[in-house]
Amino acid sequence: MATQDPDEALWLTPAEKEAWTGLVSLVLLLPGRLESPLQHDAGLTLFEYLTLSHISEAPERRLRMSELAYLANGSLSRLSNVVKRFEQRGWVERTPDPGDGYEVVVAAAPTHVRSVRELVLDPLTSEDQQALARIAAKLRTRPVDLA
């Protein structure tokens, strides 16, 4: 059996290139397409929406900043700036009751869900959706995998 020269590239097959290009397209292009309707309808970035969404789903709508940064896949400094803007808008408090932020995320959720359905789920069969979930699990890219 021949060994691979470490300096020689092992080029992708056409099928591998198609899979890789598809993944890169999802990672780089889909967030902007999901953010656009949120910006238009709710004035929120995708990061802001995901931050509010994680807060809204937490027990008593309370999360530690470090846990929220982890769930939203952002640095503490980025999250701190977002939460500061939320505080200025009266949507969250860094103390127990985020109150109004919950109403904002509830109002923005239908826009986000419509976009997720239109851009991701509706074009896929149920088998495709299951495959996507399996692939994410294998690539360990889900929030639960990053814990």
PDB file of all heavy atoms in Angstrom, residues 3 8 21 23-25 31 49 58 66 94 102 105 113 115 118 132-133:
ATOM      1  N   THR A   3       2.045   5.055   0.565  1.00  0.00           N
ATOM      2  CA  THR A   3       1.782   6.052   1.603  1.00  0.00           C
ATOM      3  C   THR A   3       1.635   7.423   0.962  1.00  0.00           C
ATOM      4  O   THR A   3       2.209   7.697  -0.084  1.00  0.00           O
ATOM      5  CB  THR A   3       2.925   6.075   2.648  1.00  0.00           C
ATOM      6  OG1 THR A   3       4.129   6.410   1.983  1.00  0.00           O
ATOM      7  CG2 THR A   3       3.047   4.737   3.348  1.00  0.00           C
ATOM      8  N   GLU A   8       2.089  16.479  -0.393  1.00  0.00           N
ATOM      9  CA  GLU A   8       1.203  16.403  -1.560  1.00  0.00           C
ATOM     10  C   GLU A   8      -0.252  16.535  -1.097  1.00  0.00           C
ATOM     11  O   GLU A   8      -0.689  15.832  -0.193  1.00  0.00           O
ATOM     12  CB  GLU A   8       1.394  15.070  -2.276  1.00  0.00           C
ATOM     13  CG  GLU A   8       0.593  14.952  -3.553  1.00  0.00           C
ATOM     14  CD  GLU A   8       0.838  13.618  -4.237  1.00  0.00           C
ATOM     15  OE1 GLU A   8       1.995  13.151  -4.233  1.00  0.00           O
ATOM     16  OE2 GLU A   8      -0.132  13.055  -4.747  1.00  0.00           O
ATOM     17  N   THR A  21     -18.479  22.706  -0.473  1.00  0.00           N
ATOM     18  CA  THR A  21     -19.004  23.981  -0.958  1.00  0.00           C
ATOM     19  C   THR A  21     -20.386  24.245  -0.377  1.00  0.00           C
ATOM     20  O   THR A  21     -20.710  25.372   0.000  1.00  0.00           O
ATOM     21  CB  THR A  21     -19.052  23.996  -2.502  1.00  0.00           C
ATOM     22  OG1 THR A  21     -17.731  23.767  -2.992  1.00  0.00           O
ATOM     23  CG2 THR A  21     -19.562  25.313  -3.036  1.00  0.00           C
ATOM     24  N   LEU A  23     -21.526  23.141   2.518  1.00  0.00           N
ATOM     25  CA  LEU A  23     -21.358  23.495   3.929  1.00  0.00           C
ATOM     26  C   LEU A  23     -20.875  24.933   4.073  1.00  0.00           C
ATOM     27  O   LEU A  23     -21.414  25.705   4.875  1.00  0.00           O
ATOM     28  CB  LEU A  23     -20.373  22.541   4.609  1.00  0.00           C
ATOM     29  CG  LEU A  23     -20.009  22.898   6.050  1.00  0.00           C
ATOM     30  CD1 LEU A  23     -21.230  22.829   6.957  1.00  0.00           C
ATOM     31  CD2 LEU A  23     -18.904  22.008   6.558  1.00  0.00           C
ATOM     32  N   VAL A  24     -19.880  25.321   3.291  1.00  0.00           N
ATOM     33  CA  VAL A  24     -19.350  26.684   3.371  1.00  0.00           C
ATOM     34  C   VAL A  24     -20.446  27.693   3.025  1.00  0.00           C
ATOM     35  O   VAL A  24     -20.570  28.733   3.676  1.00  0.00           O
ATOM     36  CB  VAL A  24     -18.114  26.844   2.458  1.00  0.00           C
ATOM     37  CG1 VAL A  24     -17.713  28.294   2.318  1.00  0.00           C
ATOM     38  CG2 VAL A  24     -16.962  26.031   3.014  1.00  0.00           C
ATOM     39  N   SER A  25     -21.244  27.374   2.019  1.00  0.00           N
ATOM     40  CA  SER A  25     -22.345  28.268   1.650  1.00  0.00           C
ATOM     41  C   SER A  25     -23.328  28.421   2.807  1.00  0.00           C
ATOM     42  O   SER A  25     -23.780  29.530   3.101  1.00  0.00           O
ATOM     43  CB  SER A  25     -23.079  27.739   0.419  1.00  0.00           C
ATOM     44  OG  SER A  25     -22.226  27.765  -0.692  1.00  0.00           O
ATOM     45  N   PRO A  31     -26.589  32.802   7.510  1.00  0.00           N
ATOM     46  CA  PRO A  31     -26.842  33.769   8.591  1.00  0.00           C
ATOM     47  C   PRO A  31     -27.334  35.125   8.085  1.00  0.00           C
ATOM     48  O   PRO A  31     -28.260  35.706   8.662  1.00  0.00           O
ATOM     49  CB  PRO A  31     -25.484  33.877   9.294  1.00  0.00           C
ATOM     50  CG  PRO A  31     -24.844  32.551   9.039  1.00  0.00           C
ATOM     51  CD  PRO A  31     -25.263  32.181   7.639  1.00  0.00           C
ATOM     52  N   TYR A  49     -31.246  38.564  18.201  1.00  0.00           N
ATOM     53  CA  TYR A  49     -32.418  37.684  18.308  1.00  0.00           C
ATOM     54  C   TYR A  49     -32.063  36.405  19.061  1.00  0.00           C
ATOM     55  O   TYR A  49     -32.799  35.985  19.964  1.00  0.00           O
ATOM     56  CB  TYR A  49     -32.978  37.333  16.926  1.00  0.00           C
ATOM     57  CG  TYR A  49     -34.087  36.325  17.045  1.00  0.00           C
ATOM     58  CD1 TYR A  49     -35.378  36.725  17.384  1.00  0.00           C
ATOM     59  CD2 TYR A  49     -33.842  34.969  16.899  1.00  0.00           C
ATOM     60  CE1 TYR A  49     -36.391  35.799  17.557  1.00  0.00           C
ATOM     61  CE2 TYR A  49     -34.849  34.040  17.068  1.00  0.00           C
ATOM     62  CZ  TYR A  49     -36.121  34.453  17.395  1.00  0.00           C
ATOM     63  OH  TYR A  49     -37.118  33.529  17.585  1.00  0.00           O
ATOM     64  N   ALA A  58     -34.805  30.209  28.878  1.00  0.00           N
ATOM     65  CA  ALA A  58     -34.145  29.817  30.120  1.00  0.00           C
ATOM     66  C   ALA A  58     -35.154  29.790  31.268  1.00  0.00           C
ATOM     67  O   ALA A  58     -36.144  30.524  31.254  1.00  0.00           O
ATOM     68  CB  ALA A  58     -33.027  30.809  30.445  1.00  0.00           C
ATOM     69  N   SER A  66     -21.954  34.490  31.114  1.00  0.00           N
ATOM     70  CA  SER A  66     -21.015  33.541  30.513  1.00  0.00           C
ATOM     71  C   SER A  66     -21.765  32.416  29.796  1.00  0.00           C
ATOM     72  O   SER A  66     -21.366  31.998  28.705  1.00  0.00           O
ATOM     73  CB  SER A  66     -20.067  32.967  31.563  1.00  0.00           C
ATOM     74  OG  SER A  66     -20.804  32.325  32.589  1.00  0.00           O
ATOM     75  N   ARG A  94     -29.818  43.279  34.066  1.00  0.00           N
ATOM     76  CA  ARG A  94     -28.778  42.325  34.461  1.00  0.00           C
ATOM     77  C   ARG A  94     -29.069  41.777  35.848  1.00  0.00           C
ATOM     78  O   ARG A  94     -28.250  41.125  36.436  1.00  0.00           O
ATOM     79  CB  ARG A  94     -27.403  42.983  34.403  1.00  0.00           C
ATOM     80  CG  ARG A  94     -26.991  43.264  32.986  1.00  0.00           C
ATOM     81  CD  ARG A  94     -25.569  43.730  32.928  1.00  0.00           C
ATOM     82  NE  ARG A  94     -25.336  44.416  31.664  1.00  0.00           N
ATOM     83  CZ  ARG A  94     -24.271  44.243  30.925  1.00  0.00           C
ATOM     84  NH1 ARG A  94     -23.326  43.435  31.318  1.00  0.00           N
ATOM     85  NH2 ARG A  94     -24.138  44.896  29.804  1.00  0.00           N
ATOM     86  N   TYR A 102     -38.548  39.679  26.796  1.00  0.00           N
ATOM     87  CA  TYR A 102     -39.325  38.502  26.428  1.00  0.00           C
ATOM     88  C   TYR A 102     -40.383  38.873  25.395  1.00  0.00           C
ATOM     89  O   TYR A 102     -40.588  38.164  24.415  1.00  0.00           O
ATOM     90  CB  TYR A 102     -39.965  37.892  27.675  1.00  0.00           C
ATOM     91  CG  TYR A 102     -40.791  36.666  27.368  1.00  0.00           C
ATOM     92  CD1 TYR A 102     -40.167  35.464  27.048  1.00  0.00           C
ATOM     93  CD2 TYR A 102     -42.171  36.711  27.397  1.00  0.00           C
ATOM     94  CE1 TYR A 102     -40.908  34.336  26.750  1.00  0.00           C
ATOM     95  CE2 TYR A 102     -42.924  35.590  27.111  1.00  0.00           C
ATOM     96  CZ  TYR A 102     -42.287  34.398  26.786  1.00  0.00           C
ATOM     97  OH  TYR A 102     -43.028  33.293  26.493  1.00  0.00           O
ATOM     98  N   VAL A 105     -38.691  39.274  21.933  1.00  0.00           N
ATOM     99  CA  VAL A 105     -38.341  38.019  21.267  1.00  0.00           C
ATOM    100  C   VAL A 105     -39.602  37.268  20.842  1.00  0.00           C
ATOM    101  O   VAL A 105     -39.632  36.655  19.777  1.00  0.00           O
ATOM    102  CB  VAL A 105     -37.401  37.141  22.128  1.00  0.00           C
ATOM    103  CG1 VAL A 105     -38.128  36.452  23.259  1.00  0.00           C
ATOM    104  CG2 VAL A 105     -36.687  36.118  21.251  1.00  0.00           C
ATOM    105  N   VAL A 113     -38.904  32.266  12.624  1.00  0.00           N
ATOM    106  CA  VAL A 113     -39.376  30.918  12.288  1.00  0.00           C
ATOM    107  C   VAL A 113     -39.769  30.845  10.820  1.00  0.00           C
ATOM    108  O   VAL A 113     -39.463  29.861  10.135  1.00  0.00           O
ATOM    109  CB  VAL A 113     -40.538  30.494  13.218  1.00  0.00           C
ATOM    110  CG1 VAL A 113     -41.193  29.213  12.733  1.00  0.00           C
ATOM    111  CG2 VAL A 113     -40.029  30.317  14.633  1.00  0.00           C
ATOM    112  N   SER A 115     -38.476  32.542   8.373  1.00  0.00           N
ATOM    113  CA  SER A 115     -37.222  32.509   7.613  1.00  0.00           C
ATOM    114  C   SER A 115     -36.553  31.140   7.700  1.00  0.00           C
ATOM    115  O   SER A 115     -36.052  30.624   6.701  1.00  0.00           O
ATOM    116  CB  SER A 115     -36.244  33.569   8.118  1.00  0.00           C
ATOM    117  OG  SER A 115     -36.743  34.853   7.886  1.00  0.00           O
ATOM    118  N   GLU A 118     -38.627  28.836   5.505  1.00  0.00           N
ATOM    119  CA  GLU A 118     -38.488  29.150   4.081  1.00  0.00           C
ATOM    120  C   GLU A 118     -37.096  28.834   3.546  1.00  0.00           C
ATOM    121  O   GLU A 118     -36.949  28.263   2.470  1.00  0.00           O
ATOM    122  CB  GLU A 118     -38.791  30.626   3.858  1.00  0.00           C
ATOM    123  CG  GLU A 118     -38.626  31.092   2.431  1.00  0.00           C
ATOM    124  CD  GLU A 118     -38.819  32.591   2.289  1.00  0.00           C
ATOM    125  OE1 GLU A 118     -39.645  33.179   3.020  1.00  0.00           O
ATOM    126  OE2 GLU A 118     -38.121  33.173   1.441  1.00  0.00           O
ATOM    127  N   LEU A 132     -29.465  16.288   8.005  1.00  0.00           N
ATOM    128  CA  LEU A 132     -28.822  17.518   8.466  1.00  0.00           C
ATOM    129  C   LEU A 132     -28.558  17.448   9.971  1.00  0.00           C
ATOM    130  O   LEU A 132     -27.474  17.807  10.437  1.00  0.00           O
ATOM    131  CB  LEU A 132     -29.690  18.726   8.123  1.00  0.00           C
ATOM    132  CG  LEU A 132     -29.105  20.102   8.365  1.00  0.00           C
ATOM    133  CD1 LEU A 132     -27.802  20.298   7.596  1.00  0.00           C
ATOM    134  CD2 LEU A 132     -30.115  21.168   7.966  1.00  0.00           C
ATOM    135  N   ALA A 133     -29.534  16.957  10.728  1.00  0.00           N
ATOM    136  CA  ALA A 133     -29.358  16.807  12.176  1.00  0.00           C
ATOM    137  C   ALA A 133     -28.243  15.800  12.482  1.00  0.00           C
ATOM    138  O   ALA A 133     -27.418  16.032  13.378  1.00  0.00           O
ATOM    139  CB  ALA A 133     -30.666  16.377  12.830  1.00  0.00           C
TER     140      ALA A 133
END
